[in-house]
Amino acid sequence: MIGATTMSFGIADAANQGLSSYYLPTLYHNVERAAAVRLDRQGRASRMTLELGALTEDGGLLGSLASGALKMTDRSSTAWASTTYKASLATHWSFEGTMTVSATASNTPEGSLVTAIGPVYATSFALGLARDAIFGEEDAWSIAFSQPLRAESAPVALGLGTGRDWNTGRVKMETEQSSLMPSGREFDLETGYRFPLGDWAGGADVAYSIDSGHVRGENALAGIFWLSRKF
């Protein structure tokens, strides 16, 4: 319905427990609880979505698990906001853009060499352009440019041994400031084409990643071809 606004709610609960590695087993336990609300606004030739959410993790930080001397958190809290805009630009042409920002509160885990971590701020975005009915009524072409979720600020404080007190036998500890920022920034360029094949539908996609995984100098190329049929 044109001009209609829809509100949606969602909750999620997940638990993960086991060994971190076969060769270097370390017990870990992580519980995630998330809740989000989303507003969708449908216009005559456009659609806008706004999503707000919150996530708590017991024993983990943004899905990362560690324990013992390298435990990063006892409990972490993250909030995020995401917006998406879709619009028809002209006959057969459409545009879509999305952006997400998130913030994780700072925390100080107990019994760890990681004495403090955060706050952690992260962003992601994607821009896409599509055209249908290029050579026929049922084909479509699309191109997209995006950045996967990346930390923009992630300070961490580490407790490091710098010597030994020979009077007491204790190790002298000092705090060193560091960062969990990645060495690069991944950008993805992807293009795809969908087309009919009789009773089947086919598609081909090619994607090129610069600084894949947000690691500087690690580029990647991927392609996929698929077939589908309704029955």
Side-chain angles (χ1 to χ4, degrees), residues 100-207:
T100 298
V101 295
S102 70
T104 302
S106 58
N107 58 83
T108 54
E110 296 181 0
S112 174
L113 294 178
V114 180
T115 59
I117 188 170
V120 178
Y121 301 105
T123 65
S124 69
F125 72 86
L127 300 172
L129 190 66
R131 152 104 198 217
D132 60 12
I134 299 177
F135 302 109
E137 293 297 324
E138 299 181 12
D139 67 341
W141 169 81
S142 63
I143 187 171
F145 177 71
S146 63
Q147 176 206 283
L149 192 66
R150 178 188 186 272
E152 304 295 344
S153 176
V156 60
L158 304 174
L160 302 178
T162 59
R164 184 174 180 179
D165 187 334
W166 296 105
N167 294 323
T168 63
R170 295 181 177 179
V171 177
K172 296 179 181 179
M173 303 294 291
E174 291 187 2
T175 299
E176 180 174 327
Q177 299 297 324
S178 186
S179 174
L180 297 178
M181 292 282 292
S183 59
R185 182 183 296 273
E186 178 179 342
F187 289 118
D188 298 332
L189 181 62
E190 180 179 359
T191 184
Y193 180 64
R194 311 288 187 267
F195 52 91
L197 283 174
D199 295 332
W200 294 73
D205 290 271
V206 177

Side-chain angles (χ1 to χ4, degrees), residues 4-222:
T5 300
T6 304
M7 178 178 289
S8 306
F9 296 93
I11 57 174
D13 193 306
N16 192 359
Q17 184 170 345
L19 296 176
S20 59
S21 171
Y22 176 81
Y23 299 100
L24 187 63
T26 303
L27 287 174
Y28 66 81
H29 178 69
N30 175 245
V31 177
E32 298 180 358
R33 299 180 179 88
V37 59
R38 190 179 72 188
L39 294 175
D40 293 277
R41 177 69 177 179
Q42 181 66 56
R44 182 174 300 276
S46 64
R47 183 182 184 90
M48 179 174 288
T49 299
L50 174 64
E51 180 179 291
L52 302 175
L55 167 71
T56 61
E57 296 176 271
D58 292 330
L61 179 71
L62 298 176
S64 298
L65 303 175
S67 60
L70 296 178
K71 181 174 62 173
M72 294 183 292
T73 179
D74 296 304
R75 181 182 178 88
S76 64
S77 300
T78 301
W80 78 85
S82 180
T83 182
T84 300
Y85 179 72
K86 302 178 182 180
S88 297
L89 301 180
T91 303
H92 303 301
W93 287 94
S94 62
F95 166 83
E96 180 175 348
T98 182
M99 183 171 185
T100 298
V101 295
S102 70
T104 302
S106 58
N107 58 83
T108 54
E110 296 181 0
S112 174
L113 294 178
V114 180
T115 59
I117 188 170
V120 178
Y121 301 105
T123 65
S124 69
F125 72 86
L127 300 172
L129 190 66
R131 152 104 198 217
D132 60 12
I134 299 177
F135 302 109
E137 293 297 324
E138 299 181 12
D139 67 341
W141 169 81
S142 63
I143 187 171
F145 177 71
S146 63
Q147 176 206 283
L149 192 66
R150 178 188 186 272
E152 304 295 344
S153 176
V156 60
L158 304 174
L160 302 178
T162 59
R164 184 174 180 179
D165 187 334
W166 296 105
N167 294 323
T168 63
R170 295 181 177 179
V171 177
K172 296 179 181 179
M173 303 294 291
E174 291 187 2
T175 299
E176 180 174 327
Q177 299 297 324
S178 186
S179 174
L180 297 178
M181 292 282 292
S183 59
R185 182 183 296 273
E186 178 179 342
F187 289 118
D188 298 332
L189 181 62
E190 180 179 359
T191 184
Y193 180 64
R194 311 288 187 267
F195 52 91
L197 283 174
D199 295 332
W200 294 73
D205 290 271
V206 177
Y208 183 73
S209 299
I210 300 173
D211 289 353
S212 179
H214 300 305
V215 178
R216 182 177 298 173
E218 293 292 330
N219 301 333
L221 178 65

